[in-house]
Amino acid sequence: MPQIMNFPAQAAPAKRVLEITSFAGIDLSSAPADVDKKRSPDAPNMMPDALGNPVKRPGFRTLYNLGGRVNGSFSLGGKRVVHAGDSLFLDGEKIWDGMANEISTAEVVGDKLYIFDGFEALVFDGNDVQPLSDVAYIPTVLISKNADECVRKTVLKGDGTSTEFVLEQKPEEILSVKKGEAAAEYTILEEKLVLKTAPAENEEITVEARYKNEPGGSTKEEFNLISRRWKESFLCDTGTERTFTLSHKNLSEEEVKVFVMNENGEWEEKTEDEDFSVDRENGKISFFEAVPKTPVTGTDNLIIEAAKYFEGYENKINHCKRSVTYDSGGSSTRIFVCGNPQELNRDFWCAANDPTYWPDTYYSEIASGESEIIGYSIIEGYLGAHIAPAFDGRSVVLRDFELDDSGNAVFPVVKHLQGEEAFAPKSFVYMEKEPLFITKRGVYAITAEDVSGEKYTQNRSFYINKAFCEEDIKNAFCVKWKQFYVISVGGKLYLLDSSQRSYQRGEPLSSFQYECYLWEKIPARILWEENGELFFGDEKGNVCKFAEGEYSDDGAPINAYWTVPDFFGDSFWRNKTIRTVAIQAAALPRNEIRLEYRKDGLWNVLKEWKGKISFFSWENFSWDEFTWSGNTTPRTLSVKTKIKKFDKTAFKIVCDHVDRAFGIYGFAIEYTESGRYKK
């Protein structure tokens, strides 16, 4: 009798689940197979929400056009001034012409804005703008100077026998010699006065003569680099002084101003050609009548203000195009400028609380002749100047504030830091507790630990470096917006999120990395933040604003998506079959999601969700996708499928329609593995 054979039932492949409920930023530096599942190897136009989950970025709209490429945007007292083309605009109205059509910089000190464009430094007071040289401080460089000549009376006494008397100084001209009240006969031999007859004992001889004076005087202030004008003050203590010579010849044709102290101690202005004449070639001022004797003994009673063109002086400041504010303790009372093409290794600074005064000794040569100052960082109260190319890797020069023996402010070098050289002049931004800047290897930071050590190696942009460093990063423009370090380069924005730090991987000598995001098709030339909102200006003169809650760029759709890293299952060499894909989506008034998967290198649409996953909002009302739903909680979306016989795949969550948004809180797939993958 034949026997019945019983075969055991073959067990179904075990179901497995991949679930992602925590997200970070993008990773453009790792191979897709090596990207952490919480990051994305390709996710344009996404940003983190308050919890770090990826959401679609806001769109931008153009506010107005200024007719020339936007080179700078600055704020003073709530007023916005924009440098576009070769002009300056206040609230869209042109207030100045003739600027350089290049990116500019500006600093606020006191109640004024000081703008540097590499051509001519300007000052804006909230209403009007004018060249800084027009309002420059006029220093008094010398005080207590002497007139060229003066008339003095000298009283001598005879001894009954001598006819020769030695004068204190050789006179230029003897005006009179008297014995008592009578004129005396005499001759002059150098400093000797020789009388024809000897005066009686104790008889007085009065000599009135004109003497040449040494210039004398003492230094009070330095010449101002940004001004052609200066002052010198004189002490007239005889009431006979008529001619005065300044310390410089070849005066310009500009007005010479003269002020004389009257008997009441008040200053009176005199008039050229009425009260005095000017020999500009020799720098000499001659009064038609002698200047009265000073009414206050020992106090200067004459001030002369003149002008002279000093070759290259004004342009030392005018041609600078990089700036920072710094002073004692890291305060913001002085402006430091650099970037003059003729003096790339020097910087200059103004007087405290007075950017109209740039003393000609206030400069520092802190780099070799082949190096230049790229920009500045404020580091633990020091002023850090970034140098490239650096000598022996010492790419940051730290200076501190001190007072010298005369009480003048000086900024001596106290230390050098070694590390990567700064590369992009418009990349210096202070974020949270550290300054950031761009090098050829990415975004770097200097920390307090670096200042106490000898080098800095704190890279912060590992996750975008591979793509970012291939951009034209030398011309990158950076700004702080909320918690983001935002970089504009190549029609893109790279965002480094200082509130999300990764301590898990990156460059080994960096303590942590910032999570990163990428926005595409953003034609920003410059960026700025105003009242928590992000603005930009482009090459065509458009001023644009990113608008929260709007999801189109001037009406054009934003192609935003989040790509899940390549999925290989538990064993890369086995066949996989996916049965279910689920998404936990953010609740939004006008939500839209398209789920795609990749197989054999091609992307395929798996499912789309539109109006039914939105909720009702009057602000976003639309008959096309009307819903009565008031559910504002996250939505769980799932789709049953059968993606089979593959070794690897990837998923993309897309939103690319106008005025539609999406966000992701979670992603999961249910799958099985069975058999060996064959191709």
Side-chain angles (χ1 to χ4, degrees):
M1 181 175 179
Q3 294 183 349
I4 299 175
M5 302 292 291
N6 293 320
F7 294 94
Q10 187 174 0
K15 293 181 179 180
R16 294 176 171 85
V17 174
L18 169 69
E19 188 171 32
I20 307 172
T21 57
S22 176
F23 293 89
I26 59 174
D27 184 349
L28 306 182
S29 296
S30 304
D34 296 330
V35 175
D36 190 297
K37 66 179 183 179
K38 67 184 178 181
R39 295 191 180 87
S40 174
D42 184 21
N45 297 315
M46 302 294 290
M47 66 180 296
D49 67 4
L51 299 177
N53 298 306
V55 297
K56 187 176 183 179
R57 70 161 172 87
F60 67 80
R61 63 175 183 265
T62 300
L63 303 179
Y64 49 86
N65 183 280
L66 296 175
R69 63 181 185 176
V70 182
N71 294 310
S73 178
F74 317 107
S75 178
L76 178 68
K79 295 184 177 181
R80 175 65 51 181
V81 290
V82 179
H83 172 198
D86 62 358
S87 302
L88 197 66
F89 297 82
L90 172 61
D91 297 330
E93 297 293 327
K94 185 184 294 188
I95 58 173
W96 188 258
D97 269 331
M99 299 180 70
N101 191 5
E102 300 292 342
I103 289 179
S104 53
T105 183
E107 306 294 340
V108 175
V109 174
D111 58 357
K112 293 182 175 62
L113 177 75
Y114 299 87
I115 305 169
F116 304 90
D117 64 353
F119 176 69
E120 183 177 42
L122 302 175
V123 57
F124 173 67
D125 63 7
N127 295 301
D128 300 310
V129 63
Q130 55 189 317
L132 182 56
S133 58
D134 285 2
V135 295
Y137 174 73
I138 302 173
T140 300
V141 299
L142 291 167
I143 59 174
S144 299
K145 286 190 67 177
N146 297 319
D148 295 355
E149 300 175 333
C150 67
V151 175
R152 292 199 302 269
K153 288 183 179 181
T154 303
V155 177
L156 308 171
K157 286 189 177 182
D159 60 5
T161 60
S162 298
T163 59
E164 295 185 356
F165 297 85
V166 178
L167 302 175
E168 292 183 4
Q169 179 184 349
K170 179 183 177 181
E172 293 292 304
E173 178 186 3
I174 297 291
L175 301 179
S176 67
V177 177
K178 293 182 178 180
K179 288 196 295 183
E181 296 297 326
E185 295 186 46
Y186 66 91
T187 57
I188 290 290
L189 297 174
E190 296 298 328
E191 289 87 10
K192 288 184 179 180
L193 173 70
V194 181
L195 299 179
K196 187 173 184 179
T197 59
E201 186 174 357
N202 292 324
E203 184 178 10
E204 290 187 347
I205 302 97
T206 304
V207 180
E208 185 176 21
R210 187 179 303 280
Y211 295 91
K212 183 176 181 180
N213 286 330
E214 292 297 323
S218 57
T219 300
K220 180 181 180 184
E221 296 174 316
E222 309 296 335
F223 283 87
N224 189 355
L225 288 175
I226 202 67
S227 174
R228 302 180 182 188
R229 303 190 69 83
W230 81 97
K231 299 176 184 177
E232 297 180 18
S233 67
F234 297 78
L235 175 59
C236 303
D237 57 2
T238 68
T240 62
E241 293 88 348
R242 290 175 178 267
T243 59
F244 304 84
T245 299
L246 298 175
S247 56
H248 284 277
K249 299 180 180 181
N250 298 314
L251 306 182
S252 72
E253 292 301 318
E254 296 177 39
E255 179 185 12
V256 172
K257 295 184 178 182
V258 171
F259 302 87
V260 175
M261 185 185 293
N262 63 23
E263 60 184 7
N264 298 319
E266 299 170 341
W267 292 100
E268 293 181 350
E269 185 171 0
K270 301 300 180 179
T271 304
E272 186 175 353
D273 295 332
E274 292 184 12
D275 301 302
F276 62 91
S277 63
V278 180
D279 177 356
R280 284 175 166 76
E281 181 179 355
N282 294 300
K284 182 171 293 191
I285 286 81
S286 301
F287 283 81
F288 301 142
E289 295 183 3
V291 177
K293 181 178 179 180
T294 179
V296 182
T297 302
T299 300
D300 291 5
N301 63 322
L302 171 65
I303 296 174
I304 299 175
E305 177 187 320
K308 173 183 171 66
Y309 176 70
F310 295 95
E311 182 71 32
Y313 260 40
E314 291 180 13
N315 288 339
K316 289 179 182 293
I317 307 303
N318 282 332
H319 289 179
C320 288
K321 48 192 174 184
R322 302 164 195 164
S323 65
V324 72
T325 55
Y326 176 78
D327 206 356
S328 173
S331 60
S332 301
T333 58
R334 295 179 195 263
I335 299 177
F336 282 67
V337 294
C338 65
N340 185 328
Q342 303 303 317
E343 301 184 76
L344 290 172
N345 60 341
R346 286 187 178 186
D347 64 2
F348 306 84
W349 60 89
C350 68
N353 295 301
D354 188 4
T356 69
Y357 184 30
W358 298 79
D360 61 0
T361 58
Y362 281 21
Y363 72 92
S364 183
E365 192 170 298
I366 58 176
S368 67
E370 298 179 353
S371 301
E372 68 172 299
I373 304 170
I374 304 298
Y376 299 98
S377 296
I378 307 300
I379 310 165
E380 294 294 300
Y382 298 110
L383 175 62
H386 295 255
I387 310 300
F391 178 72
D392 290 341
R394 293 180 292 181
S395 54
V396 182
V397 178
L398 297 183
R399 284 178 287 180
D400 200 2
F401 170 89
E402 287 184 7
L403 294 176
D404 63 16
D405 294 339
S406 301
N408 299 315
V410 293
F411 298 90
V413 174
V414 296
K415 197 168 189 177
H416 293 80
L417 299 180
Q418 292 181 311
E420 290 295 318
E421 298 171 358
F423 189 57
K426 295 299 179 181
S427 67
F428 297 90
V429 175
Y430 191 85
M431 293 294 299
E432 308 305 329
K433 296 182 179 180
E434 59 185 21
L436 299 184
F437 56 95
I438 292 175
T439 76
K440 292 182 179 180
R441 292 185 56 211
V443 179
Y444 270 68
I446 299 178
T447 69
E449 291 78 11
D450 299 322
V451 174
S452 61
E454 294 182 351
K455 64 176 66 175
Y456 66 88
T457 52
Q458 298 289 302
N459 185 277
R460 293 289 184 258
S461 58
F462 170 81
Y463 294 114
I464 59 170
N465 279 345
K466 185 175 181 181
F468 174 68
C469 292
E470 293 179 355
E471 304 276 7
D472 180 21
I473 56 178
K474 184 177 181 63
N475 293 312
F477 193 100
C478 304
V479 72
K480 181 181 186 295
W481 172 55
K482 297 182 178 179
Q483 78 269 26
F484 301 105
Y485 178 74
V486 186
I487 309 166
S488 173
V489 62
K492 308 180 187 77
L493 297 187
Y494 291 88
L495 285 76
L496 276 62
D497 186 355
S498 65
S499 69
Q500 291 190 89
R501 301 180 178 184
S502 170
Y503 297 85
Q504 299 173 354
R505 66 177 297 179
E507 297 196 0
L509 296 179
S510 297
S511 56
F512 61 84
Q513 298 294 322
Y514 289 139
E515 297 295 343
C516 303
Y517 300 85
L518 171 62
W519 296 2
E520 294 184 339
K521 295 185 178 180
I522 310 294
R525 173 172 166 81
I526 69 164
L527 300 159
W528 67 93
E529 184 272 344
E530 184 176 352
N531 299 324
E533 297 179 303
L534 183 62
F535 294 75
F536 70 87
D538 67 14
E539 288 279 351
K540 298 179 180 179
N542 295 312
V543 173
C544 306
K545 170 186 173 182
F546 287 95
E548 296 291 339
E550 296 185 15
Y551 298 99
S552 68
D553 292 339
D554 272 342
I558 301 170
N559 184 22
Y561 55 84
W562 182 269
T563 304
V564 178
D566 285 1
F567 170 67
F568 291 85
D570 295 335
S571 301
F572 72 89
W573 52 274
R574 302 188 70 184
N575 277 320
K576 289 89 180 173
T577 300
I578 294 177
R579 303 287 185 176
T580 304
V581 182
I583 301 170
Q584 188 178 39
L588 295 166
R590 304 184 74 177
N591 211 340
E592 182 177 297
I593 291 176
R594 183 173 73 250
L595 177 62
E596 300 179 4
Y597 73 96
R598 188 183 66 214
K599 185 177 181 182
D600 297 330
L602 300 176
W603 286 100
N604 307 275
V605 176
L606 193 58
K607 186 165 183 178
E608 292 187 71
W609 293 270
K610 294 187 177 181
K612 291 184 179 180
I613 62 173
S614 303
F615 61 82
F616 180 81
S617 168
W618 280 114
E619 293 180 357
N620 296 275
F621 182 81
S622 171
W623 284 115
D624 294 337
E625 297 183 359
F626 178 78
T627 177
W628 286 111
S629 174
N631 183 4
T632 60
T633 61
R635 306 298 176 82
T636 299
L637 314 174
S638 65
V639 56
K640 289 188 176 295
T641 185
K642 194 172 184 180
I643 307 172
K644 60 181 182 179
K645 292 186 178 181
F646 67 88
D647 62 332
K648 63 181 179 297
T649 189
F651 290 89
K652 184 190 295 184
I653 305 163
V654 186
C655 179
D656 56 6
H657 288 280
V658 173
D659 294 331
R660 301 294 185 270
F662 82 116
I664 310 167
Y665 290 171
F667 177 83
I669 56 176
E670 185 181 68
Y671 67 97
T672 60
E673 292 184 335
S674 63
R676 180 168 58 87
Y677 176 75
K678 297 179 181 179
K679 184 65 177 175

